[in-house]
Amino acid sequence: MKRHRTISAPIEKKEGQILVATRGGDRSIAYDGTKFYFQTPDSVDAVDTMGAGDSYITAFLLSFLKKDNIQDAMAEGSRVAAQSCLVEGSFGYGVRY
């Protein structure tokens, strides 16, 4: 059974801030101070998940800066993160265990 910790302290939002959290195979969450956004991850037969979160946030930021749309940016982040999971090794050099 998964347990999630709840943050009970109020979050003070400054103008333009967006909180984004990836959660592996669970949907990602974004909060802009007034609304929560959710994005289901794209499903792939993952080879290696190392770097997926970095790929997600990079794609999210680039998309958000271009389109100024949180939900679209989350979808792009999910798409790019899924594609990065198809590459073995964080730099393309897998290590066998």
Side-chain angles (χ1 to χ4, degrees), residues 9-59:
I11 298 173
E12 291 186 32
K13 181 189 177 299
K14 294 182 182 175
E15 185 66 32
Q17 287 184 328
I18 302 169
L19 174 67
V20 179
T22 59
R23 303 180 320 141
D26 292 335
R27 62 189 183 164
S28 57
I29 302 170
Y31 180 66
D32 67 2
T34 58
K35 180 179 175 185
F36 283 95
Y37 302 82
F38 301 94
Q39 178 65 43
T40 302
D42 289 12
S43 181
V44 296
D45 290 326
V47 174
D48 190 341
T49 60
M50 184 177 283
D54 295 330
S55 297
Y56 179 101
I57 198 63
T58 300

Side-chain angles (χ1 to χ4, degrees), residues 1-7 23 26:
M1 176 179 175
K2 285 187 178 181
R3 300 194 75 165
H4 298 281
R5 197 171 86 193
T6 302
I7 300 172
R23 303 180 320 141
D26 292 335

